[in-house]
Amino acid sequence: LGSKHTEMPQGLFARTSVADSAAWIDEHVVSLEYEEILLAQAAGRVLAQDAVTASELPPFDRAAVDGIAVRADETAGAGTYNPLSFPLSAMVDGALPAAAGLRLGAGDPLPAGADAVVPLEHVGLTADGSCEIIDAVAAGSGVERKACHFRRDAVLLPAGRRLHPHDLGLLAVAGVSRLRVVRCPRVRCFLAMRSAAGSAAAPAARVDANGPQLRALIQRDGGSIAALREVGRNSAAIAGALAEPDADIVIVAGGTGRGLDDETVAALAATGELAIHGVALRPGESAGVGRRHDGVPVFLLPGAPAACLWAYELLAGRALRRLAGRDPALPFPTRRMTTAGKIVSSIGTTEVCPVRRLSDDRVEPIASLAGAGLAAAADGFVIVAEGSEGIPRGASATVYLYDHGPRPAIDRETEWRP
Amino acid sequence: LGSKHTEMPQGLFARTSVADSAAWIDEHVVSLEYEEILLAQAAGRVLAQDAVTASELPPFDRAAVDGIAVRADETAGAGTYNPLSFPLSAMVDGALPAAAGLRLGAGDPLPAGADAVVPLEHVGLTADGSCEIIDAVAAGSGVERKACHFRRDAVLLPAGRRLHPHDLGLLAVAGVSRLRVVRCPRVRCFLAMRSAAGSAAAPAARVDANGPQLRALIQRDGGSIAALREVGRNSAAIAGALAEPDADIVIVAGGTGRGLDDETVAALAATGELAIHGVALRPGESAGVGRRHDGVPVFLLPGAPAACLWAYELLAGRALRRLAGRDPALPFPTRRMTTAGKIVSSIGTTEVCPVRRLSDDRVEPIASLAGAGLAAAADGFVIVAEGSEGIPRGASATVYLYDHGPRPAIDRETEWRP
């Protein structure tokens, strides 16, 4: 306080590289423990343990096709010009009587005595309740043997698999009805809003743009929103929010910068561990990363919407995806594309550049809104790494795409693309 | 009935190509009307109308950075060796007094009189409540002018845009709080289960594999599940299900084939229009497509789980995605990859072949479970078109991938891949 310049230099906080920030996250954040859920609720969840078959598949010898169960040797000699007639029988004590056929649907158990199923295409059904076989079959034809697909306790899907809709069909077929999946991370998300007193701006001028986008981002990444609400931008309010129980990850948006009321960072430093403040990321450089005393990771995101978005995507989202057992990488398809315009970047900063798609393999950079900081109708983005000054016009870049976009051009093996 | 062969030939129903089936869908199914929803609920929804800005952006001249608002001409001559001192002032009637500075946060309105904001990096704050400017600024520096990003009523995102999380941030910034989006399709889905009486199989041997996968598929494609339940596999039950009100699309799984109790197709033909029965698709060839009398599209899916899956993906799902305003194409990223094994197919049938990923650019076909019909742990699939006999080993194929999978190899413009 004796010095004239008490706060000089302003804002020159150390900047940690995005890679080092990600390494801190990867070191300190692992996937949560399992919970057991019903198969019907498992879409999109991540297996915490191998899913093993609960029964043999199939559990008995069964018909592979709709048809007539027969003794194969009784069909010898059958043909279009020599149809063999069999009475359609009921089973007797679960067995097929000799010299008879039994109509089955695909998946029906094969009766004792039968060893083949003649598909309906090779059968004439007659009005008098018999059938005519017009093609001889070999033993085993049209039949799926018990356990031919899976033994009991065979691994069907490995731990770590994110369950797609069709995986649920497969698991159901294999008799699985309950699954152990990685527990949903409980996310507590706080919007550190400026009070009118802390700012020259009228409160009406401040719109909460971060709440809607963070809610959607957290849900996309598999988080369960335990809290998402505004808190005052002051130490006490933020410290209180940071201390709330029942959280697997805490996210605070706003108050990370150099404003008069930017107390978020100080609140974390006072109540836990502030591991990183300042990331070589644009937008997003005032972001902070740390932990509570109980080890729960805390992410401090800048309040400007674009900076909030990208600090979420590259830092908080990475941690959330790890907690949820998902691939921690950015959840977008990528494609190598040519840039139709120069993408400018500064050495020493990882920069995110929104792009617009011009064709299947070309993009152009689009201006982001400096203050609002979000680009309208971007189709994706390019990340220019710290060591680069940008990407020249006509060069190839890895583009992260928001939508799968136009199908690739039609080619020889497929005439029509669904 | 006078003829001996009352049902001959069995199962040789006409087969419509997948492309013609898709064309029927595209001709008869369009996106639903709009509904108005709150911004916070809009993630993943599709804009039915252009989203236009509700306010100018920014709505007033404002600070682009955290800093000190000044009159630019008063900073002339400032430098590290010639710091200029300004008292930090309060505004007087919303205006900046002469020869004073006002501390602002990024986004705060610029006071009248001020025309620049000196970033905090170029300012020393002193304990006596004044500041020292160490860099001269030009008028307009550090300021975002009113409406520089968007005028009021400018198109921010076009109709048809599927809303991503960050789009919600952008819309909020632009003052949009309600949106008109394509209404969620109400899906009525029925599982036509075999009764014990209709089959030789014990009921316990029948597992509902289609319910779980259809539920997840419908949700993935933006449908709202109005009904998903079992119905008896008989005309009356199916006709009753088909007639239920409050449906935008009806899906029935099971009973499309040639079994004794396969009455689904007859029920649609009797109560509406059966446009297609039999599709040149494997798995899935007994699928049916049609409409109710009120025009609601109806999809009859085979009961075998894999056939049900693919008839959904290529037919019912296409219609659902169209109703929801989404891209009707299969919702998977695609990549051209080399196949390490021959993919066999039959001319005249579109075949879906599950594949396993061997590396970033190689896949191999994997056997699907003939009866269960689902491949364990497939990473994606290849679609071999009707006109092709398959894809030779070593050839290139378009692979539909379930996951974005490994990131592409590291390359020059990015050293580290988030």
Side-chain angles (χ1 to χ4, degrees), chain B residues 22 27 79 85 102 150 157 161 190 197 214 230 232 243 259 286 307 329 344:
Chain B
E27 185 186 336
S85 187
L102 177 72
F150 284 111
L157 294 170
R161 170 91 171 181
F190 303 101
L214 286 171
E230 298 181 7
S286 68
V344 182

Side-chain angles (χ1 to χ4, degrees), chain B residues 184-411:
Chain B
C184 263
R186 295 162 302 177
V187 183
R188 292 196 170 264
C189 182
F190 303 101
L191 310 165
M193 304 298 280
R194 281 197 173 166
S195 63
S199 159
R206 306 236 154 243
V207 174
D208 170 29
N210 290 327
Q213 70 179 352
L214 286 171
R215 176 182 300 277
L217 289 163
I218 291 165
Q219 289 172 339
R220 181 199 68 190
D221 285 337
S224 158
I225 294 176
L228 195 160
R229 65 171 198 274
E230 298 181 7
V231 295
R233 193 181 285 192
N234 61 74
S235 311
I238 292 167
L242 288 176
E244 288 184 10
D246 301 326
D248 296 305
I249 180 172
V250 177
I251 296 171
V252 184
T256 57
R258 300 162 304 232
L260 283 170
D261 54 355
D262 286 346
E263 305 214 11
T264 305
V265 173
L268 175 58
T271 62
E273 174 194 359
L274 178 67
I276 295 168
H277 182 217
V279 177
L281 168 66
R282 189 171 304 151
E285 63 186 339
S286 68
V289 180
R291 292 188 291 180
R292 310 200 305 199
H293 285 310
D294 62 2
V296 168
V298 179
F299 291 85
L300 310 179
L301 311 181
C308 178
L309 170 67
W310 293 111
Y312 174 87
E313 290 285 30
L314 293 174
L315 305 171
R318 183 179 188 87
L320 178 52
R321 294 187 291 269
R322 286 184 66 85
L323 287 170
R326 297 192 183 188
D327 183 348
L330 289 169
F332 303 102
T334 56
R335 187 176 298 179
R336 294 290 297 178
M337 298 174 86
T338 301
T339 176
K342 179 170 164 58
I343 296 177
V344 182
S345 176
S346 316
I347 286 198
T349 301
T350 298
E351 295 203 36
V352 183
C353 305
V355 296
R356 181 178 296 124
R357 185 173 196 149
L358 299 177
S359 68
D360 225 35
D361 57 3
R362 286 174 76 236
V363 290
E364 64 176 6
I366 50 180
S368 60
L369 311 182
L374 293 161
D379 295 313
F381 55 93
V382 167
I383 297 178
V384 184
E386 250 182 86
S388 167
E389 288 187 273
I391 302 169
R393 181 165 182 274
S396 166
T398 296
V399 179
Y400 292 79
L401 291 167
Y402 290 132
D403 291 304
H404 310 309
R407 303 286 101 188
I410 281 165
D411 56 18

